[in-house]
Amino acid sequence: MSNWSDTLAVFDLETTGIDVETCRIVSATVAIIDATGHVLERVDWLLNPGIDIPVQATNVHGITTKHAVLNGRDAADGVAEIVATIREHLARGLPLVAYNAPYDLTLLNRECLRYGVSPLVSPSPVVDPLVIDKAVDRYRKGKRTLEVTSAFYGVSLDDAHDSGADAVAAGRVAQAIARAHVKTLPVEVGDLHLLQAQWSLQQAENFQAYMRRERDPAFVAAGAWPER
């Protein structure tokens, strides 16, 4: 296995929706897993997002507005702690795993700007199993959700859309991909980080071309990675 996957920081958010510019963090997890996928450290946050949680979002992660208001931390304090924890792990040289990293990291950035918290600056190294899986197994049919991809790589995900379960599963999927594609992926995580930025752009360009050809001639796909 590539040495970058020996010890990983893992990160996931559950939020009020899908628009990174306007949606808020509801729950978050930052953890560390070892080479076997065992959790060594873990911190979880429940935040009061300061806005109502739409029923569609509650149906996904199970957290209601009432529960978040009664039990959640102040959002500004929570966001500052999440960023500080990630920054600490990156400073230790741990790769940060986030499935579909541009969603979580961009939304976290916007929350920092919203609350006057110093954001992460060009976070690196980041490992995004979604981008890597699309690159190393480009023509596999079917969806690429975390649930589907976890099942494909034999990773258990019993509580999908819980930030802790999703974060740990993403890390274990990254390790499974490293094992399955040891001859394809670079040994050094810095090289992998740069490759993912290239792959993300290529994947966006391919998707944009497909959408313009089949559905919407004006469709634009964003390819910036790991933040947008």
Side-chain angles (χ1 to χ4, degrees), residues 20-21 100 102-103 106 110 131 134 197 199-209 211-212 219-225 227-228:
V20 297
E21 302 296 340
N100 191 19
Y103 174 77
T106 303
R110 303 305 189 266
V131 170
K134 286 180 176 179
W199 287 337
S200 179
L201 185 59
Q202 293 166 0
Q203 290 162 11
E205 290 172 345
N206 291 338
F207 183 56
Q208 178 174 291
M211 290 294 289
R212 289 186 174 185
F219 182 83
V220 176
W225 182 96
E227 284 183 332
R228 291 181 181 149

Side-chain angles (χ1 to χ4, degrees), residues 1-221:
M1 195 190 302
S2 302
N3 59 11
W4 57 261
S5 60
D6 287 349
T7 307
L8 299 171
V10 298
F11 168 54
D12 185 72
L13 300 175
E14 296 299 328
T15 67
T16 59
I18 60 175
D19 182 355
V20 297
E21 302 296 340
T22 60
C23 290
R24 311 294 179 88
I25 297 170
V26 177
S27 65
T29 296
V30 180
I32 298 176
I33 62 173
D34 66 14
T36 69
H38 176 72
V39 177
L40 301 175
E41 301 176 25
R42 173 172 165 172
V43 184
D44 299 289
W45 292 266
L46 174 67
L47 305 186
N48 176 355
I51 62 173
D52 287 343
I53 301 172
V55 65
Q56 298 94 328
T58 295
N59 289 341
V60 171
H61 51 59
I63 302 170
T64 64
T65 302
K66 180 179 179 180
H67 180 75
V69 169
L70 290 176
N71 301 286
R73 297 277 310 283
D74 174 77
D77 292 343
V79 168
E81 289 180 9
I82 294 165
V83 172
T85 303
I86 292 174
R87 187 176 281 122
E88 177 187 344
H89 293 339
L90 290 174
R92 292 167 57 186
L94 296 177
L96 179 70
V97 177
Y99 199 87
N100 191 19
Y103 174 77
D104 295 84
L105 289 175
T106 303
L107 197 150
L108 179 61
N109 173 274
R110 303 305 189 266
E111 285 277 66
C112 287
L113 299 179
R114 183 172 289 120
Y115 294 114
V117 174
S118 179
L120 299 170
V121 178
S122 301
S124 177
V126 174
V127 174
D128 187 338
L130 176 60
V131 170
I132 300 172
D133 181 51
K134 286 180 176 179
V136 299
D137 197 356
R138 180 176 176 182
Y139 298 106
R140 188 173 81 245
K141 300 294 185 182
K143 295 180 178 181
R144 304 278 181 140
T145 64
L146 178 58
E147 290 176 86
V148 170
T149 306
S150 294
F152 179 80
Y153 284 102
V155 171
S156 176
L157 178 54
D158 297 327
D159 194 11
H161 302 297
D162 169 85
S163 61
D166 285 359
V168 172
R172 291 171 178 168
V173 167
Q175 293 173 327
I177 294 174
R179 289 190 293 267
H181 298 279
V182 65
K183 294 182 179 180
T184 303
L185 298 174
V187 173
E188 297 299 328
V189 72
D191 295 335
L192 180 63
H193 182 97
L194 295 175
L195 265 180
Q196 289 172 97
Q198 297 172 21
W199 287 337
S200 179
L201 185 59
Q202 293 166 0
Q203 290 162 11
E205 290 172 345
N206 291 338
F207 183 56
Q208 178 174 291
Y210 165 79
M211 290 294 289
R212 289 186 174 185
R213 184 174 63 250
E214 300 293 334
R215 300 186 185 182
D216 179 1
F219 182 83
V220 176

